[in-house]
Amino acid sequence: MKLGITLLICIFSLVAKADLSTDRSYKDVVNYIHNLATKYPQTTQLFTIGFSNDGVAIEGIQIGNGPMHNLVVGTHHGNEYGSTELALNFAESLAQSPIAGQTLYVIPVLNINGYNNRDRYEKVNGKYYDPNRDYPGPCGTEGPHNLNSTKALANFIDQKNIISSATLHTYWPAAVYPWGISTEDVDTPYTSTFVEMVNAATEASHYSVGNSTVLIYPADGAFEDYAYWKHGIWSILFEVGHSHSPSVSDMDEMIKGNVPGLRKMFEMAPQARAEKHDFTGKCSIGLRALDLHIE
Ligand SMILES: [Zn+2]
């Protein structure tokens, strides 16, 4: 009897264990989402947002059939494989149980050659670009769009009418909201809504929450500010875990906190884009020196 119970516990813990790896290649990531699509044909569908400068398809998986469209994008920075693992495990959790009324588009890896090389930057013709400084922005950018990947994502969020988005990074525990640019005027008209979103997102993880510029540092040309500034997308940046090189057990903890957090956030997120999304403050370009390019 006792042995039976022990066996049952072992089997349950095997089933419940997240599928995590520290050394996946982009090909493995694609296989992962293709397997999900095969396993959950009723709730999922594969998609491609376009091609990287190397000509590789940037693939994702959409989950659910609802009229409200939301987005999760991982791995703008190729070395941040913990964010890829979170995106994959969130996709799997959604495939098992989609969010009512929503279609979630999950893109586990945006920066493909960076991911394969475990390099923050995306390499094109011998030059290295930071994909999360490559979008247009109200206080400037290192781009815009030196990279096909960032242009493809910019087109995608426009075409799909994305309402809320989560962009996933490592490596310190935080969920933050706009503005994250070189300015001292960091407040949007919607701080209270953003605070509700990050509070929901961190209910299980207990991560720090706040304004992106204040909690991290100013960064011009980042996706999260672009999505809000250009379209009024409710845009949250997640910095997950404690390291750019998390172990499997570190990532297990990361998944346990952030998979329910992401779900909770999307469940409570606004149903329509923000209306007042222009930047009306003053840029302080001198603050750009604070951008460490490590997050
Ligand atoms: Zn990052």
Side-chain angles (χ1 to χ4, degrees):
M1 183 62 182
K2 201 170 175 188
L3 182 66
I5 290 169
T6 310
L7 271 174
L8 269 177
I9 290 168
C10 285
I11 289 165
F12 179 75
S13 59
L14 275 176
V15 170
K17 193 97 182 145
D19 180 355
L20 293 165
S21 168
T22 59
D23 59 0
R24 247 185 261 277
S25 66
Y26 185 65
K27 209 172 163 212
D28 299 329
V29 171
V30 168
N31 286 338
Y32 189 116
I33 59 174
H34 284 227
N35 288 339
L36 277 188
T38 306
K39 197 170 164 192
Y40 301 99
Q42 307 294 331
T43 55
T44 66
Q45 202 178 313
L46 297 165
F47 65 90
T48 297
I49 64 167
F51 292 84
S52 70
N53 292 74
D54 297 333
V56 181
I58 304 166
E59 295 195 45
I61 184 164
Q62 69 183 80
I63 305 131
N65 305 301
M68 187 169 143
H69 293 182
N70 292 330
L71 172 79
V72 173
V73 57
T75 331
H76 268 81
H77 294 136
N79 58 323
E80 298 174 2
Y81 64 84
S83 80
T84 318
E85 297 300 303
L86 174 56
L88 292 174
N89 279 273
F90 184 55
E92 181 145 24
S93 161
L94 287 173
Q96 290 161 3
S97 171
I99 298 176
Q102 297 190 19
T103 301
L104 244 307
Y105 296 89
V106 179
I107 303 165
V109 175
L110 189 74
N111 172 359
I112 295 171
N113 72 40
Y115 180 70
N116 282 333
N117 297 323
R118 295 296 190 263
D119 188 335
R120 174 182 179 90
Y121 297 91
E122 186 168 346
K123 187 179 178 185
V124 178
N125 296 328
K127 284 189 177 167
Y128 292 85
Y129 299 98
D130 187 327
N132 211 34
R133 304 291 185 276
D134 196 40
Y135 297 86
C139 293
T141 174
E142 293 174 11
H145 300 313
N146 287 308
L147 299 166
N148 287 359
S149 56
T150 64
K151 183 67 184 158
L153 185 60
N155 290 342
F156 184 78
I157 61 174
D158 188 18
Q159 288 159 7
K160 294 294 180 188
N161 190 33
I162 298 298
I163 307 294
S164 295
S165 73
T167 179
L168 309 181
H169 292 252
T170 55
Y171 72 95
W172 62 70
V176 298
Y177 49 82
W179 298 104
I181 54 180
S182 294
T183 185
E184 282 163 21
D185 303 319
V186 295
D187 285 321
T188 69
Y190 302 102
T191 297
S192 61
T193 307
F194 280 125
V195 168
E196 285 173 28
M197 289 178 75
V198 292
N199 283 346
T202 57
E203 208 176 282
S205 69
H206 308 293
Y207 282 7
S208 301
V209 297
N211 169 267
S212 187
T213 297
V214 174
L215 207 60
I216 302 177
Y217 46 69
D220 292 316
F223 171 77
E224 52 278 13
D225 290 299
Y226 170 78
Y228 174 72
W229 174 61
K230 175 83 178 170
H231 300 293
I233 292 171
W234 301 97
S235 170
I236 302 295
L237 169 88
F238 287 72
E239 289 283 345
V240 299
H242 301 265
S243 160
H244 281 323
S245 49
S247 66
V248 165
S249 73
D250 294 336
M251 291 192 291
D252 198 44
E253 193 193 325
M254 188 189 286
I255 301 309
K256 279 182 184 139
N258 289 293
V259 166
L262 283 163
R263 171 179 284 271
K264 196 140 216 173
M265 185 190 88
F266 284 116
E267 282 174 346
M268 60 71 68
Q271 306 275 315
R273 288 174 170 183
E275 281 178 19
K276 291 174 277 181
H277 49 87
D278 288 339
F279 177 62
T280 55
K282 189 169 162 278
C283 296
S284 304
I285 297 304
L287 292 176
R288 209 182 269 179
L290 300 174
D291 183 353
L292 302 177
H293 294 82
I294 55 168
E295 85 305 335

